[in-house]
Amino acid sequence: MYEPIRTKSVHTMAAAPELPHRTREEELDNRLAGQLTALLTVTDELRALAAPDDGHGRSGPALADAADRIAAQVARLSGHYPLRAEPSDGGDPSRIPALRQRAHTLAANALAVATSRQDTAVMALAAERMTAHEAAAGVGDLATA
């Protein structure tokens, strides 16, 4: 009474062995590397806008060191050192609070992925960056925003 279906099922095509598939660990590595690359970009922007040193170690050399450590983690996760554009001088210093907020959010996202991946090195780095950006913005300002 019914004629059999002669075309291939969409489900069998999706499971074709010739398509590359990534494991959960590879997906988490890619996601974590992306979060850290975004954090690196914001850190470089902050470094360009911040004063050479504010006396508390929150800018200048501290941001440069943090950027280098973030770049090293990206290289470990992705297999290549991230491209870094040199931020131009003369940016608007009024952007610093928004950049600090963005960096805090990106560090929190990286911490969540690193926790899921159980990467203690990135967990420590992300938690440190969250604390640094929160302290630079003023105690409690970023936690409530």
Side-chain angles (χ1 to χ4, degrees):
M1 185 156 158
Y2 294 104
E3 187 173 339
I5 299 173
R6 295 173 193 239
T7 60
K8 289 189 176 185
S9 168
V10 174
H11 300 289
T12 56
M13 292 174 67
E18 65 271 358
L19 296 177
H21 295 284
R22 288 188 283 254
T23 64
R24 180 178 188 274
E25 290 77 22
E26 290 170 331
E27 288 293 336
L28 287 174
D29 285 349
N30 290 341
R31 184 169 175 201
L32 185 54
Q35 292 291 336
L36 289 174
T37 301
L39 179 59
L40 176 62
T41 301
V42 174
T43 303
D44 282 340
E45 285 185 60
L46 278 168
R47 188 171 46 95
L49 292 175
D53 192 2
D54 64 0
H56 296 31
R58 291 189 289 220
S59 56
L63 285 171
D65 178 56
D68 291 340
R69 290 185 297 133
I70 293 167
Q73 291 298 326
V74 172
R76 179 181 63 87
L77 290 165
S78 67
H80 62 279
Y81 197 79
L83 295 176
R84 294 173 66 184
E86 206 48 48
S88 62
D89 292 335
D92 186 7
S94 67
R95 292 182 50 223
I96 290 176
L99 287 171
R100 290 255 182 225
Q101 174 65 42
R102 180 73 180 140
H104 184 272
T105 301
L106 289 167
N109 292 345
L111 179 61
V113 178
T115 302
S116 175
R117 192 180 171 276
Q118 297 179 350
D119 189 330
T120 55
V122 176
M123 287 169 57
L125 179 60
E128 172 196 312
R129 298 315 310 150
M130 284 178 64
T131 303
H133 292 299
E134 190 170 340
V139 178
D141 288 348
L142 294 177
T144 59

